[in-house]
Amino acid sequence: IHGEAMHLHEHSKFALAHGAKQSVDVDNGTVFRITETKIETLGHIKAGKLAIDGNFILASNSNILKMRRKLMSDGAVIITLIFDSKSRILKPPTIIAPGVLDADEDDDIVSNMRDEIYNHFLSSKKCGTSEIRKYIESTVRRMIKFEVGKTPEIISQIEWL
């Protein structure tokens, strides 16, 4: 038996309406013995919830579904930066923010973010990928929290030429 509580209740009503002599509403993890004459509750087991995701069945608390819930509520900011082998930034970063900022209406926020990040790396000393990511995450988190009150997923793509 599967479904949400409402579905399970309807399954029970359906069974009774179509000739079943007994039916029970069930909870996740309840174990029953069903014979021709009775339905008996044997006990409860620990049971989790599963979700269908495309061709896969995942635990409802899987990292994939946690991320999807985060994206749904707070969106994402994706920043692409290109550096040369001497750690010099080659051009202003590309920033997209689905679910956070509107590309047309919030251009000033995106421009401010782009300028702050670009100017920082124009004047900074040589640094590695982890330092770049740390700076990007703290800067974007601070600016987005101030401007729109969200804490989006921040994805930084760093290319080295």
Side-chain angles (χ1 to χ4, degrees):
I1 299 174
H2 68 282
E4 296 178 5
M6 177 179 64
H7 296 115
L8 297 174
H9 179 70
E10 291 301 317
H11 289 305
S12 181
K13 283 175 37 181
F14 181 83
L16 293 171
H18 288 84
K21 294 179 183 166
Q22 295 182 64
S23 183
V24 293
D25 285 349
V26 299
D27 293 318
N28 278 346
T30 304
V31 180
F32 294 95
R33 174 179 291 133
I34 302 171
T35 67
E36 289 185 25
T37 58
K38 66 181 180 178
I39 300 173
E40 137 183 54
T41 302
L42 297 180
H44 296 276
I45 61 169
K46 183 177 178 181
K49 294 181 180 178
L50 299 176
I52 296 173
D53 184 43
N55 292 333
F56 300 97
I57 297 176
L58 303 173
S60 63
N61 65 348
S62 72
N63 289 335
I64 290 172
L65 295 179
K66 284 179 187 176
M67 176 61 74
R68 197 149 316 131
R69 285 188 288 276
K70 170 110 172 123
L71 293 172
M72 183 177 65
S73 65
D74 289 321
V77 178
I78 304 163
I79 303 161
T80 303
L81 298 100
I82 302 173
F83 292 87
D84 67 12
S85 60
K86 295 180 181 177
S87 294
R88 294 181 298 215
I89 192 164
L90 298 179
K91 60 184 248 177
T94 301
I95 301 173
I96 59 172
V100 181
L101 300 171
D102 182 275
D104 297 324
E105 294 180 18
D106 298 319
D107 187 56
D108 56 330
I109 298 170
V110 174
S111 291
N112 289 340
M113 240 186 317
R114 183 182 303 113
D115 292 346
E116 184 168 330
I117 292 166
Y118 185 59
N119 290 332
H120 173 82
F121 288 112
L122 275 178
S123 62
S124 70
K125 297 177 181 171
K126 187 173 184 172
C127 54
T129 301
S130 63
E131 292 94 345
I132 294 169
R133 286 188 199 284
K134 192 178 291 185
Y135 174 79
I136 296 290
E137 186 169 320
S138 67
T139 300
V140 170
R141 190 166 313 287
R142 173 180 49 80
M143 293 180 85
I144 294 296
K145 185 69 171 175
F146 176 77
E147 292 291 344
V148 296
K150 290 186 174 189
T151 54
E153 184 66 23
I154 299 167
I155 301 165
S156 54
Q157 300 175 314
I158 301 166
E159 300 294 328
W160 297 93
L161 300 179

